[in-house]
Amino acid sequence: MDSNFGAQLPSMKTLPPGPRSLELASRLQDVESRNVTWLSEDFPVFWDLAFGSNVSDVDGNVYVDLTSAFGVAFAGHSHPSIRIAMDEQAKCLVHGMGDIHPSLSKVKLMEALATLAPWKETRTVLASSGTEAIEIALKTAQLHTGKAGVIAFKGAYHGLTLGSLSVTDRKDFRNPFVDRLLETTKFVSFPSSDDEVARVLTEIGSILTESETSGIPIGAIVIEPIQGRGGVRIPPEGFLQDLKALSKATGVLLIFDEIFTGLGRSGVVFESEVAGVIPDLICLGKALGGGLPLSACLGSRSVMEAWPENQGEAIHTSTFLGHPLSCATALSFLNILKSEGLVLGSVKKGQYLLASLRASLGSSCHIHEVRGRGLLVGIELRTETGEPWKGQGARVARQALRKGLIVLPAGRYGEVVQLSPAATITEKQIDFAVACLSDIILGRDL
Ligand SMILES: Cc1ncc(COP(=O)(O)O)c(C=O)c1O
């Protein structure tokens, strides 16, 4: 392996997927449920090694990863300090009994989270995946308000377990299970202009009033401060403040799903720093575990005290809650966030990435918008007639893979190319990514 692996540019030995990837795809097809991994002639490649912003596959091809694997590897893949923390913890305690006989690393992690959180006194429930953190937030809101109804936003992605799926707005995920989804969610538009803000706030106000007299009373509003899978959609300035004011006036809890945006991805530790609003609950996941599965629902002590005191049995828990190894890697990640200035890095590199993309893509009729904050960036693609270019994000991702670049599609119609690189990505790697995406999108390479 190149000594510069982590900060290097792509090096392709085969046209991906190479023979070993194809062989593994064929074996996988024989054992995995068919709904899980998309397998085709030109997709996927099987990962073998990952460090920094490089990934190599089983055929020895080296890629630049502009996804940090779903936004998880914000400090870069396999950060040396996280690996040390993992080794140290693994020597003594890998798994414990989270809510029965907890570990030191669980206590330390929750203390660290409390120092970052926007409330004076913070209480946290840990879990393993983002979707579980959302479940906890929804349960908390119901306990606190006594109301089961929720307002969520069109285009939202909060996870796929039944509670979180009920607030996720994607037909392909919902339709097969629609009979089991709670009829407690009202979806409203995610605003993209000031005009829309006024309309959406009025609509929310009406739903809140109507739900008190008919239907299921609303106890929570759940929002991604920037929609991630929905296509990197940023609401107009001031919207989150207005939403907070409305939720406060009506006694409804405001839940920020910061599973993607949180801990530096969007250029701040928590979105509440930008918006100047403090939500009632914050959900974290993805980057939190430093590469291991870990999520959390955080709230102020007063909100979280809606949960009854444990009388010998936790009424919400799970086998891996407070997993010692994940808590140790999370602690290490939070230390790196501070010691390596990753939040500022996200701001600066995000600005560089956005500016380079805008300059390079120019004003092509296929570019509707290049937008983002921090290192969460989206390129929205349009057809020549100005319609969302359905499925084009995935086509760009497949083309990019052949050139050694890993990106993901996003958006309701798959019309967005989503970029969420590590905060440790180099300028050279960004320059390569911008040139590669521009060639593909501007058709210089098709
Ligand atoms: C904003 C947001 N919320 C929730 C989730 C669900 O997290 P997980 O896939 O870990 O369950 C995701 C995953 O992409 C997400 O982006």
Side-chain angles (χ1 to χ4, degrees):
M1 192 52 58
D2 191 317
S3 60
N4 200 27
F5 186 64
Q8 75 173 89
L9 298 184
S11 155
M12 306 305 281
K13 297 216 156 56
T14 69
L15 191 65
R20 289 226 57 217
S21 275
L22 289 172
E23 188 228 326
L24 288 177
S26 148
R27 284 169 57 187
L28 188 66
Q29 195 165 28
D30 291 341
V31 287
E32 186 176 52
S33 173
R34 63 184 187 172
N35 68 302
V36 181
T37 308
W38 162 254
L39 299 169
S40 75
E41 274 177 11
D42 60 357
F43 210 84
V45 294
F46 284 69
W47 287 18
D48 191 28
L49 299 172
F51 187 66
S53 289
N54 285 137
V55 170
S56 76
D57 71 12
V58 289
D59 291 286
N61 297 310
V62 176
Y63 304 83
V64 170
D65 176 18
L66 242 70
T67 69
S68 50
F70 307 124
V72 168
F74 185 58
H77 289 283
S78 233
H79 190 288
S81 304
I82 296 180
R83 270 199 335 233
I84 290 169
M86 198 184 296
D87 285 351
E88 290 301 308
Q89 183 64 40
K91 276 186 210 149
C92 36
L93 183 70
V94 170
H95 173 63
M97 296 181 75
D99 63 318
I100 306 277
H101 300 299
S103 66
L104 173 63
S105 60
K106 169 175 152 175
V107 179
K108 281 180 160 178
L109 173 63
M110 294 211 276
E111 284 170 349
L113 286 172
T115 63
L116 289 175
W119 308 281
K120 206 160 151 230
E121 279 189 277
T122 296
R123 296 291 184 269
T124 297
V125 179
L126 294 176
S128 305
S129 59
T131 194
E132 283 177 84
I134 296 291
E135 300 286 342
I136 296 162
L138 296 177
K139 282 185 175 180
T140 307
Q142 182 169 357
L143 288 174
H144 188 78
T145 61
K147 298 173 183 175
V150 182
I151 291 175
F153 288 82
K154 290 182 184 160
Y157 186 85
H158 298 292
L160 299 181
T161 50
L162 288 171
S164 66
L165 183 58
S166 72
V167 290
T168 285
D169 177 41
R170 275 270 300 269
K171 284 199 173 58
D172 45 348
F173 295 137
R174 292 172 62 88
N175 279 358
F177 311 106
V178 80
D179 299 349
R180 308 197 68 183
L181 294 181
L182 315 170
E183 281 175 20
T184 46
T185 308
K186 299 274 183 218
F187 287 98
V188 297
S189 299
F190 190 87
S192 55
S193 66
D194 290 340
D195 286 355
E196 252 187 290
V197 165
R199 220 170 335 112
V200 170
L201 290 170
T202 307
E203 194 187 346
I204 293 176
S206 312
I207 293 173
L208 291 174
T209 312
E210 280 163 26
S211 82
E212 288 300 320
T213 49
S214 64
I216 299 162
I218 302 286
I221 301 172
V222 58
I223 186 164
E224 294 158 84
I226 297 175
Q227 283 193 341
R229 285 195 76 173
V232 191
R233 293 183 192 280
I234 306 170
E237 223 170 286
F239 176 62
L240 295 177
Q241 282 96 328
D242 293 343
L243 203 57
K244 171 67 190 180
L246 189 58
S247 76
K248 196 169 172 202
T250 51
V252 167
L253 290 200
L254 182 61
I255 304 168
F256 275 6
D257 176 348
E258 294 245 43
I259 288 163
F260 205 168
T261 53
L263 302 176
R265 165 69 52 205
S266 62
V268 283
V269 177
F270 294 121
E271 242 351 88
S272 47
E273 287 171 40
V274 174
V277 293
I278 299 185
D280 297 293
L281 295 165
I282 296 176
C283 295
L284 296 176
K286 291 190 184 281
L288 173 64
L292 291 192
L294 189 73
S295 64
C297 173
L298 284 67
S300 66
R301 177 178 168 178
S302 62
V303 167
M304 295 303 276
E305 281 186 352
W307 287 90
E309 203 169 328
N310 187 324
Q311 302 290 340
E313 189 82 79
I315 65 164
H316 183 97
T317 184
S318 53
T319 304
F320 293 105
L321 181 147
H323 191 254
L325 195 58
S326 309
C327 289
T329 54
L331 253 177
S332 173
F333 168 70
L334 293 180
N335 286 337
I336 293 165
L337 197 65
K338 202 170 166 197
S339 65
E340 294 189 11
L342 296 189
V343 183
L344 189 59
S346 172
V347 174
K348 288 188 170 158
K349 287 180 183 171
Q351 282 167 351
Y352 182 71
L353 173 61
L354 258 187
S356 307
L357 280 170
R358 285 178 178 150
S360 177
L361 288 167
S363 54
S364 155
C365 68
H366 287 310
I367 308 293
H368 178 62
E369 198 178 14
V370 181
R371 57 178 173 255
R373 184 132 56 71
L375 283 170
L376 185 54
V377 169
I379 307 167
E380 185 174 337
L381 302 168
R382 289 282 158 115
T383 61
E384 268 152 30
T385 51
E387 305 298 315
W389 201 349
K390 286 190 183 161
Q392 189 62 9
R395 283 191 282 274
V396 170
R398 287 206 299 276
Q399 286 281 331
L401 192 70
R402 294 158 79 94
K403 297 170 137 305
L405 180 69
I406 299 175
V407 297
L408 280 173
R412 177 175 288 268
Y413 307 101
E415 77 282 24
V416 175
V417 181
Q418 184 194 79
L419 313 176
S420 56
T424 48
I425 192 166
T426 67
E427 260 186 30
K428 267 192 173 167
Q429 288 172 319
I430 292 179
D431 293 343
F432 161 76
V434 169
C436 174
L437 289 170
S438 304
D439 284 350
I440 294 169
I441 291 168
L442 300 180
R444 294 197 286 252
D445 214 67
L446 292 175

